[in-house]
Amino acid sequence: MKNPKAREQSFSIYGPLSLLMLLLIWALLLILGFGLFFFSMGSPFADSIVGSGAGAWTRFGSDLYVSGTTLGTLGLGDVLPRSPLARTLVICEAGVGLGLVALVIGYLPVLYQAFSRREVSIALLDARAGSPPTAIELLRRHSFEGGDHALEALLSEWERWSAEILESHISYPILCYYRSQHDNQSWLSALVAILDTCALLISVLEERPSRQAQLTFIMARHALIDLCQVFHLQQKKTWQNQAQQDRLPTSEFDLLCSALADAHLRLCGDPATLRRLRTIRSLYEPHALALAGYLRMPLPAWIAPPREKDQWNLLTRLRSEAVLDAEQAKTGVTSSFLREDEHSH
């Protein structure tokens, strides 16, 4: 699909639709399997529609009918089993049908609860790291006084989020195909943005919460690598293609440092900074690129282009104007008092 919006919309329905189709296929295979059991027993049923001299395909159709009504626990009673073994199989299939219904009732809520918990943190990251999220924007929006504590709390929360992703998405890999409901957001881009932030805190920046960054990095990387193993990406073509990609070329590293300096962040400044950053990037970027190619989810850029309609920039500008107006008003009141005092003297 050449239209990106149509392509994303089709991807967004792929996960939920594939789950429903999977449950439907399970039910159809159970009906076919028990129908073949009945057919192998010589169709031991008393059917008023199908006579004793009916052909094989007609009898097999009757067996499938019995199997379908039994699995759905309808119990119409228009076709009756004529042997003890057939009755036993009917009872077994009815029990399997109840188990299938219980599986659907218990399976779907668990999946959608895990999906909902995942998306809440991704939605909250929008105001803290932009959309799509980037490490530079996340650090810039936490460069205020006391921002270190807020950033440490955020990384601690995302350490737990990564652990939940590790447990839920490995148990239910189909959740990886579920797309976020908002544009420019995905669980993979959010996870990589957090990894990028931790990489900068560990290897480039000084006087920042590097201890929590290390803990979050280890857990997030663990989730990323295990998900690659679930889909066997090391054996797929996407794993070879990612070796040719570089998310942060050397020519853009100076732009990265300039963006960090503009956010009033203190850099390490030694010549080995680029080497350390490249080393830590090699620990997770190949897996992230392979997952991005397999799931068709774009990864965030290290340096995001400026956005005209960014709500954070708008609110920051309005807040700065409000503070400036308040200072000017305070200065004007002070000057007025001074003039009145001079006049009285």
Side-chain angles (χ1 to χ4, degrees):
M1 294 184 181
K2 296 182 179 180
N3 189 340
K5 290 187 177 180
R7 183 171 59 249
E8 281 300 314
Q9 186 175 6
S10 64
F11 284 152
S12 66
I13 65 175
Y14 173 79
L17 185 62
S18 61
L19 174 61
L20 297 178
M21 292 298 296
L22 180 62
L23 296 174
L24 178 61
I25 290 174
W26 286 352
L28 293 177
L29 288 177
L30 285 172
I31 292 173
L32 177 62
F34 278 100
L36 290 173
F37 274 126
F38 295 139
F39 184 72
S40 66
M41 296 166 56
S43 302
F45 298 106
D47 192 344
S48 59
I49 298 179
V50 179
S52 57
W57 285 107
T58 304
R59 291 186 290 106
F60 182 58
S62 179
D63 295 333
L64 290 179
Y65 170 76
V66 174
S67 179
T69 55
T70 304
L71 186 71
T73 64
L74 296 178
L76 297 178
D78 54 341
V79 181
L80 303 177
R82 295 183 299 182
S83 68
L85 182 58
R87 292 180 177 181
T88 303
L89 280 178
V90 167
I91 294 175
C92 291
E93 187 176 7
V96 171
L98 290 175
L100 180 63
V101 173
L103 177 65
V104 173
I105 294 175
Y107 194 62
L108 292 180
V110 170
L111 286 177
Y112 282 97
Q113 286 174 7
F115 170 70
S116 178
R117 287 196 304 269
R118 185 191 79 183
E119 292 302 309
V120 168
S121 296
I122 296 175
L124 291 175
L125 192 65
D126 186 10
R128 292 164 172 80
S131 182
T134 60
I136 297 296
E137 194 66 21
L138 178 61
L139 293 172
R140 185 175 71 85
R141 296 184 183 185
H142 287 81
S143 60
F144 57 90
E145 183 179 357
D148 288 351
H149 300 290
L151 182 59
E152 187 173 1
L154 179 66
L155 293 179
S156 177
E157 178 185 347
W158 276 84
E159 179 189 3
R160 180 171 294 276
W161 182 89
S162 301
E164 292 180 355
I165 288 291
L166 178 63
E167 295 301 321
S168 61
H169 286 52
I170 289 181
S171 301
Y172 308 107
I174 199 171
L175 285 174
C176 295
Y177 299 102
Y178 278 57
R179 321 288 274 208
S180 296
Q181 300 177 356
H182 305 283
D183 296 335
N184 299 323
Q185 292 182 1
S186 71
W187 66 268
L188 183 58
S189 64
L191 183 63
V192 173
I194 294 297
L195 283 167
D196 292 342
T197 304
C198 295
L200 291 176
L201 292 172
I202 295 171
S203 61
V204 178
L205 299 178
E206 290 184 352
E207 300 177 357
R208 305 294 286 184
S210 60
R211 172 62 179 173
Q212 183 58 53
Q214 295 174 23
L215 296 174
T216 305
F217 180 87
I218 292 173
M219 181 52 64
R221 179 179 177 269
H222 188 187
L224 198 64
I225 292 176
D226 283 12
L227 288 175
C228 283
Q229 294 176 353
V230 166
F231 295 110
H232 306 286
L233 295 185
Q234 289 83 349
Q235 292 81 30
K236 296 181 182 295
K237 188 177 180 180
T238 52
W239 185 260
Q240 286 75 28
N241 293 340
Q242 55 81 24
Q244 305 174 359
Q245 304 181 39
D246 189 2
R247 296 179 57 234
L248 184 63
T250 306
S251 58
E252 296 184 3
F253 180 70
D254 293 337
L255 298 177
L256 175 69
C257 294
S258 300
L260 291 173
D262 292 341
H264 307 289
L265 298 172
R266 185 175 179 181
L267 308 182
C268 293
D270 59 289
T273 301
L274 178 59
R275 177 182 55 82
R276 290 197 302 268
L277 180 60
R278 185 179 292 119
T279 300
I280 196 172
R281 285 172 50 210
S282 65
L283 297 177
Y284 68 92
E285 278 195 350
H287 304 276
L289 290 168
L291 267 177
Y294 177 72
L295 298 173
R296 300 297 188 269
M297 292 181 178
L299 296 182
W302 278 92
I303 304 175
R307 297 180 59 193
E308 298 179 357
K309 299 181 179 180
D310 187 72
Q311 296 183 2
W312 179 267
N313 294 332
L314 175 61
L315 294 175
T316 302
R317 186 170 62 253
L318 292 176
R319 178 58 183 170
S320 300
E321 292 176 357
V323 172
L324 182 61
D325 292 342
E327 291 178 353
Q328 291 177 352
K330 183 178 180 180
T331 303
V333 171
T334 304
S335 301
S336 175
F337 280 136
L338 289 175
R339 286 195 298 269
E340 291 179 358
D341 185 64
E342 291 176 357
H343 181 71
S344 62
H345 285 296

